[in-house]
């Protein structure tokens, strides 16, 4: 994943492999590392699956709707 401020806010190195934005060599190295390191890849897949489950619509829907309701009340 390109190492941008927003992506680093939501993700960390345990879930994705970051590379320097705009650097194709860094992208290739990151891809090679993940593809050739079974232990790294399995760990990242497991942690990414946990992250996706925790942040799924089913789990976060109430938080989102509460946020929208609070914003709507502020503007009323």
């Amino acid at each position: 994943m390109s190492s941008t401020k927003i992506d680093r806010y939501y993700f960390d190195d345990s879930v994705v492999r970051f590379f320097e934005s705009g650097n194709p060599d860094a992208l290739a190295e990151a891809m090679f590392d993940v593809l050739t390191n079974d232990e790294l890849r399995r760990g990242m897949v497991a942690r990414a699956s946990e992250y996706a489950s925790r942040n799924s619509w089913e789990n976060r829907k109430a938080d989102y709707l509460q946020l929208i309701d609070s914003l709507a009340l502020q503007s009323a």
Side-chain angles (χ1 to χ4, degrees):
M1 177 177 282
S2 184
S3 182
T4 63
K5 186 175 182 178
I6 191 68
D7 289 322
R8 285 207 171 264
Y9 177 82
Y10 286 104
F11 305 103
D12 63 38
D13 293 315
S14 72
V15 178
V16 299
R17 177 67 156 76
F18 287 107
F19 67 92
E20 179 187 357
S21 296
N23 183 338
D25 292 333
L27 169 60
E29 181 180 338
M31 291 173 65
F32 184 80
D33 288 347
V34 173
L35 289 171
T36 59
N37 186 328
D38 292 339
E39 185 177 342
L40 171 68
R41 186 176 57 256
R42 280 193 298 271
M44 290 175 76
V45 167
R47 288 183 295 276
S49 294
E50 292 168 9
Y51 177 91
S53 179
R54 278 192 319 272
N55 292 288
S56 70
W57 176 247
E58 288 181 16
N59 289 331
R60 300 302 304 261
K61 178 181 178 180
D63 296 334
Y64 177 75
L65 293 176
Q66 183 179 3
L67 172 65
I68 297 302
D69 286 345
S70 71
L71 294 172
L73 289 175
Q74 288 177 8
S75 65

